[in-house]
Amino acid sequence: MIITIDGPAAAGKGTLAAKLAEKFVLTYFDTGMVYRAVGLQMLLGKHSLEDKTAAEAFAKNLTFQKMMELSKNPAFRSLEGSKAASIVAAIPAVRVALLAMQQNFSKNPVFADGTPANGAIYDGRDTGTVVCPNADIKFFITASPEVRAMRRFKEYDAKGEISSYDEVLKQTIARDKNDFARESSQPAKDAIIIDTSELSIEQVFEKVCEIIDAKQKNA
Ligand code: DC
């Protein structure tokens, strides 16, 4: 079983995907990590984020192991890291270079320790449209920019990162503009769209589990 969860930043995709992965015994790929890994290498190497050649070279050389190593750097999920990821993700050659790595993940779904999984779950922006167009179930999870900015602000605040709500809202809107300029980020035609603005994580999880259970019964 392959499940994709796309949607804007801080809509709750990651939390939902992790819970579903556990319940349905699926191996999980947070595809934003590939762009964060390239963005972080650009920052660490002091490259201009406009340097498309450098970004493409980092993308071509990225391995799963390297990505996991980079993810331990605190800047990986910082405001600066998020901005860098969004900029490099807009470079078409970077997207092409990172596609095979993402697609290969579900060909033989196993966990990090090599044990087999029942399938794979992806989250990102284009996992239902480009990465796994033949996925069994596709979700598009969204929420208002204000709700998403508040969720992110609380995350940064808990980590002690200096930010203001207004700054995070401004960045959320800017990232949406950048991320959704691409046709591939629009919901897949066969995606189930869920707005989580008024829902708790548990409510979203229950709703999605019902949909998956129903789909499995009918299969
Ligand atoms: O999901 P995230 O915030 O970790 O993603 C980081 C950036 O990567 C985000 O600005 C959009 C981009 N991205 C993308 O273009 N395609 C994906 N499948 C996943 C993320």
Side-chain angles (χ1 to χ4, degrees):
M1 174 167 63
I2 308 289
I3 300 178
T4 59
I5 306 181
D6 290 304
K13 305 183 300 290
T15 312
L16 176 63
K19 282 170 82 70
L20 292 172
E22 196 181 342
K23 178 170 161 96
F24 294 99
V25 195
L26 303 169
T27 182
Y28 169 37
F29 197 159
D30 164 5
T31 63
M33 289 178 74
V34 298
Y35 300 101
R36 287 180 182 274
V38 172
L40 180 58
Q41 288 179 98
M42 295 288 279
L43 294 176
L44 294 175
K46 305 227 182 310
H47 294 278
S48 152
L49 292 171
E50 307 305 322
D51 184 347
K52 297 188 168 90
T53 313
E56 185 183 357
F58 283 129
K60 280 186 170 158
N61 288 315
L62 188 69
T63 59
F64 209 87
Q65 197 187 356
K66 173 106 191 139
M67 180 181 84
M68 296 313 287
E69 257 168 49
L70 286 160
S71 73
K72 293 177 195 151
N73 188 314
F76 194 76
R77 294 201 180 271
S78 67
L79 264 175
E80 202 193 1
S82 302
K83 202 169 145 194
S86 185
I87 293 171
V88 298
I91 303 169
V94 166
R95 303 194 72 81
V96 170
L98 294 168
L99 186 58
M101 177 183 162
Q102 295 173 78
Q103 291 180 325
N104 288 342
F105 183 78
S106 59
K107 289 196 178 142
N108 175 30
V110 291
F111 292 103
D113 65 0
T115 51
N118 290 339
I121 184 160
Y122 286 77
D123 91 45
R125 302 293 183 290
D126 62 348
T127 64
T129 51
V130 177
V131 180
C132 303
N134 299 321
D136 301 288
I137 314 177
K138 300 177 186 178
F139 293 100
F140 188 89
I141 304 291
T142 188
S144 72
E146 290 76 14
V147 167
R148 290 185 284 118
M150 184 49 79
R151 290 177 186 163
R152 263 293 132 89
F153 170 66
K154 285 183 180 160
E155 272 173 39
Y156 291 139
D157 201 43
K159 283 193 280 185
E161 258 197 56
I162 300 159
S163 65
S164 69
Y165 168 75
D166 286 347
E167 174 58 30
V168 179
L169 178 60
K170 230 169 73 187
Q171 208 211 20
T172 302
I173 293 168
R175 274 184 69 193
D176 281 358
K177 207 170 148 215
N178 219 21
D179 295 345
F180 287 90
R182 293 184 287 280
E183 175 66 27
S184 62
S185 295
Q186 301 307 317
K189 288 196 172 58
D190 48 351
I192 299 155
I193 300 175
I194 299 175
D195 188 324
T196 70
S197 303
E198 309 280 329
L199 301 175
S200 68
I201 289 165
E202 279 313 318
Q203 286 170 320
V204 179
F205 180 58
E206 255 174 52
K207 199 177 162 112
V208 165
C209 285
E210 276 170 25
I211 295 169
I212 298 172
D213 286 338
K215 185 108 184 169
Q216 282 187 321
K217 265 188 209 134
N218 291 335

